[in-house]
Amino acid sequence: MYFLLITKLINTAHDQDMEAAVSSYDKSQQGTKPESPTPEDGKKEAEEEEETEPPTVGKLRTFLNFLCTLWYSIVDWIIRTCNRISRNYRLVAKKLSIDLVQEKRKIVSSKLPSTEASGTELVRDPVVIQEVSLDIEPGDTTFAEHHISLDDLEREDDEEMAAQFASNKDRPTRLLMAIGLMLASQSEMLCYLLMILDQMVYGSLLSLPLPLLVFLWGMLSVPRPSKTFWVTVITYVEAIVVCKYLFQFGFFPWNDDAIHASPFYPPRIIGIERKSHYASMDIALLLALFLHRSILRKYGLWRDSADITADFEVAQSEERKGVVDEADSTKLEFEEIEKEPASKAGLSYVLGPFTEFFKQVTESSYNATTDVYAPMFFCDFILFLVLVFGFSSFGPAATTGDGDVATYIQDNKIPIPFLVMLILQFVFIVVDRALFLRKHVLGKFIFQICLVIVIHMWMFFLLPSITERSFFSNRAAQLWYFIKCIYFGLSAYQIRCGYPTRILGNFLTKSYGILNMILFKGFLAIPFLLELRSLMDWIWTDSTLAIGNWLQMEDIYANIFVLKCWREIEKAYPQERSNKKNPIVKYISGGILLVVIIFIIWFPLVFFSFFNAVFISNPPREASLTIGIGGYQPLFRTTALGKSISEVTDAELNLLKSFYSRDRNAYSFISGYSASDITRVKFDGNSLSVWGINPPSQQKLAEDLAGDVALKMTVEVKFTREPDKALPAEVSNLFEIDLQLDEYKSVRKLLAAMIKRTSNESVTILRLFPRFLRLASQSKAIEVEQMTKSIGKSNITMQLVRAGTDTSNEWWNINELVYDGSVFHLKPSGKQGGIPEASFITFNDKKAPASLSFLSGYGIIGLYLSFVVIVGRVLRSSITNQYLTIMFRELPDVNKILQLCLDLYLVREMKEFHLEEDLYAMLVFVYRSPDTMIKETRQTVRIGNIKKKKED
C-alpha cells in the first residue's frame, strides 16, 4: 500500500505540479487538514510577495523539495517493508522479555523470606532484576496474570509504528533500526546466504562443505538447526580462516606471483592460493554466525535436546532427594551424561544420530504442511533459460567459443553437450513433478541428497574441466548455481514441512481475478504444456478415470474456471440494465482490436515500405564477363574485383537524374535508390586469358562467319553478393545478338578476316548489352528497360591481338564507345570515343538485417498468404459458429459446477474412488442435459436472508 503512495506522489507531480505533490504527501503523512489562514499569516504572505524572487530560483526550490519528498517516501517505504519482515521477531522478543521479567520476579519473591533470616543472599538477586526495565504492576506476581495475547501485541506494534511515522523525524535512525531488526529476524537465512556466497566467490575444496552443510543438514533440521550444527559451522569457518592465513606466507613454493590459468591449479582448487582479500567472505560469515549465536543465546535457544534432558533429570533427582548442594547436583549431572555413551557402544552409537535425523526429516508429524512446488518449478524454468541463452559458458571450450544458441540454430547445428544439459534439466522437472504428485517425502529426501552432490561435483569439478575456466570467473555458471541454491532451499523446506495432504488444481486457479485468468490463458496457450501436465498428473495420481475422461475433466475445469473469472469481473465492474456501454470501454476494448486487425491487414505493405529505412545495402562483391560466338571457345573473359566495383557519387547520380528528368518512369525508378545502392562495375578491356581455341576450331569458326551459318554472339555477366534468405548469392544474365541480321553482316566479315589474319582492323559491334541492370531478389539480373530505351544498348569494339608470330599467344581486347569519355554522359555530343573497359551500372536491392530476414524472405505475397490469411482464418473461426457453444459459455452462475469439480478433486485425494466415479458421472450428466444445466447454473438473487433463483 505504501508503494501506491509513492506512485500517487509521482502522478500528482506529473498531472499538476511539484508543490501539489509535496503538499499531498505531507497531508497523507500527517493525516490532518491544513489550518485556515489567520490574519497574521496573510500579512506575512503579503510581505513575502513584496520580496519577489526570480522564477528560476522558485522552480529550483520546488524541484528540490519534490526530490526530497520523493526520497523521504522511498525511505519510509523501505522502513515499513523492513518492519513488516521483522514483525514476528519483534513480537516474540517483546513477549519473551515480559515473560523473562515475570519469571525473575517470581524467583526473587520466592527467595525473599529466606533473605530476611539470612542476609547473605540478598546481595546477588537485586542486580538481576534491573537487567530489563519494564513497567510491571507490583501486585502482579503470576505469569497467568501478565499474559498478553498476540492480538494485543500486534495492536501495540501497529500503534508504535504509526507513532514513529506520525512524528516524521529522525528517518536515518529509524531506517538503521528497521534494517538491523530485519537482519536479526532473518539471521539464520543471512548465515545460509553468506555460506553459499562464500563457495561462489572462492569455489574451492575448503569452502565446498559449507553449502553441503546448508542443504543436507541445516535446512533439513526439524524444527531448526541444532547447537551442534552451528558449533560445527563456526569451528570449520575459523579453521578455514587460520588455514588460509598460514598459507599466505611467501616461503611456500607456489606463492611465486606467477600467473596460472589452469582452473585446477592445486593451491587454487584447494583454496590456499595467495591473493588479496583471501578471507573477506569468511570473516563476514563469521560475523553473521556470531550474531546469530548471540540471538539464540538471548532467547534461550542455544541449547540442544541433550542439555534440556540433562536439566530435567537433575531436577527430578532433586525432587526425589530433596535439597541437594549445587556442587553435588553439577557432579551428578556430569556423571549421568558420561554414563550415557557407555550404554550405546558399537555401531548403533555411530549411526544413532543419523537415524534420528532421518526420522525427524521424513516422519515429522507436527510440522505444518506446505506447497512450494510453484516457486520450485519457476526456478527450474529460469535455469532452463540460463542454459539456453548462456550455453557458451557451459559448453566445451574447443567447440562453443563465444557463440550463442541462436548461432547454432541458424546453422542447423545442435551441440551434443547442450542437448544433454537441456534433457537432464527437463528430466529433473519431470522427476520433481512425480514426487510432488505422489507426496513421497522419502523419495524427495533421497533426490535432494543425490542432486546436491551431483550438482556440486558438476559445477566445481566437471564444468571447469569442460570449459577450461574457473567457476568464480564464469558468470553464467554462478547465476545458474545461485538459482539452483534457491531451488535447493525451497526443496529442503518442502521436505522439512512435508507435502500437502490434498493437491487441488493448478496454483494459478487459487483465486478468480483478471490476472489469474490472463496467466491461466497464457498457460493454456503454451504448446504441449497442458498435455504434459495432464498426462503426468494422470500417471502419478490414483484415480479410476481413463485417460480420455481425465483430459475431458481437465477441459471442463479449465472452461469453468475462465467463466468463474468472468463472472467475478462482472461483479467487480457491474453494468446496469438499459444503460449504453461506456464509450471509454468501447474505445479501449474495441479500439485496440480494430487497430490490431488493421495492422494485420496492412502489415506486409508497411513492412516493405517503411522498414526499407533499416535495410542495409548489398552491392556485388565480384563480377565476371564472358563474350562468345555460338558454341565455340569464348572470345573474351574478365573479372572485376576490389576497386573495379565502386559506388556512384552524388554528382554521377545527379547526372543520371538530370538526363532522365523528363522521363517519368525512368526518373521514378532512379529516385527509389540512393547513391549507396547504385554500383558501377568496370571490366578491364584486356581479356584475362589467351584465346585457347585449337587451329581446326579456329578455322571452322572463320568459315562459319564468312559463310551464311546461323550464329549468335552472347554476353554473359555474373554478379556475386552476400547471401540472404530473400536475395540469392549469385545473379547472372545472358544477352545475345543474331549475327544473321543485315546490320551485322559486316561484323561477320571483319571477324572472319581477323581470325584468318588477313586483317587487323577492330570491329564495331552495336547494341551488344544493356548498361543498366537491376540486382533484385531473383537470380537473374534484370535489364532496366525504362533507362535503356532512351539511350539504347552499349556499343563496343573488338580486336584480336597477337604477340609476335606465335599463333598460340593471342587474346581479344574490347573498348566501350561513350560520349565525353564517361558512361554517365548519356546525352549525344559529337562522336563516341572508345575507352578500354566495359561498364555496367547496377541498381542493388537492399537486404534486411539478420533480425528481420525471416520476414523479408517471404516477400509481400508470401507474407499475405502465410501470415495475413492464416491469422484471418484463426480470427474468423473464433468469432463464427459461436451459437454452437452458447449453452456452455453463457452460464450465469458456475459456482455449483465449479464446486462439483473441486469435490471431485477432493474425493480423489481422499482415495474415495467410488465417490469420484459418481461425481464424474454427475458432471457428465449435467453437460448432457440442457435442462439440468439451466437449473444448476441459474443466477441466485438474495432477498434479505432468502435465496431465490432468478427466473430466466
Side-chain angles (χ1 to χ4, degrees), residues 192-225:
Y192 292 155
L193 176 62
L194 291 177
M195 291 167 73
I196 295 170
L197 292 179
D198 189 285
Q199 175 62 12
M200 290 179 61
V201 171
Y202 299 119
S204 61
L205 289 175
L206 282 177
S207 58
L208 182 60
L210 294 176
L212 299 181
L213 289 173
V214 172
F215 300 124
L216 301 182
W217 187 0
M219 286 191 170
L220 292 176
S221 299
V222 179
R224 59 181 173 272

Side-chain angles (χ1 to χ4, degrees), residues 376-499:
M376 284 196 298
F377 175 78
F378 182 73
C379 289
D380 280 331
F381 179 73
I382 298 298
L383 294 174
F384 201 88
L385 295 180
V386 173
L387 283 178
V388 170
F389 294 104
F391 169 70
S392 59
S393 300
F394 298 92
T399 58
T400 56
D402 294 331
D404 54 0
V405 176
T407 305
Y408 293 108
I409 294 176
Q410 290 177 357
D411 297 338
N412 295 323
K413 297 178 182 179
I414 301 298
I416 294 179
F418 174 67
L419 181 62
V420 170
M421 284 188 288
L422 290 184
I423 292 177
L424 286 177
Q425 185 65 37
F426 187 78
V427 169
F428 291 156
I429 295 175
V430 173
V431 172
D432 210 0
R433 179 69 180 177
L435 294 172
F436 174 73
L437 294 173
R438 298 305 300 175
K439 307 180 186 65
H440 203 329
V441 177
L442 177 59
K444 181 67 174 176
F445 179 69
I446 297 174
F447 182 67
Q448 170 88 346
I449 295 175
C450 297
L451 195 60
V452 167
I453 296 175
V454 169
I455 291 299
H456 282 83
M457 289 181 61
W458 176 58
M459 269 288 161
F460 301 102
F461 298 100
L462 296 180
L463 186 63
S465 64
I466 293 174
T467 60
E468 298 181 1
R469 283 193 294 174
S470 299
F471 173 79
F472 52 79
S473 62
N474 193 337
R475 300 304 178 191
Q478 287 181 328
L479 176 62
W480 193 93
Y481 176 73
F482 184 75
I483 299 174
K484 196 66 177 179
C485 288
I486 297 176
Y487 167 84
F488 285 146
L490 294 171
S491 182
Y493 181 68
Q494 182 74 83
I495 296 171
R496 189 176 62 190
C497 297
Y499 286 109

Side-chain angles (χ1 to χ4, degrees), residues 100-152:
L100 180 62
V101 172
Q102 300 307 316
E103 291 300 317
K104 288 182 177 180
R105 182 172 287 277
K106 286 172 57 179
I107 296 173
V108 172
S109 61
S110 64
K111 293 182 178 182
L112 282 177
S114 61
T115 56
E116 292 177 358
S118 173
T120 57
E121 298 202 11
L122 191 59
V123 182
R124 291 184 298 172
D125 294 331
V127 180
V128 182
I129 301 176
Q130 298 177 2
E131 287 184 356
V132 181
S133 59
L134 291 175
D135 296 334
I136 302 173
E137 298 293 336
D140 299 335
T141 57
T142 60
F143 176 75
E145 293 175 353
H146 291 283
H147 176 70
I148 300 177
S149 65
L150 183 60
D151 295 336
D152 296 336

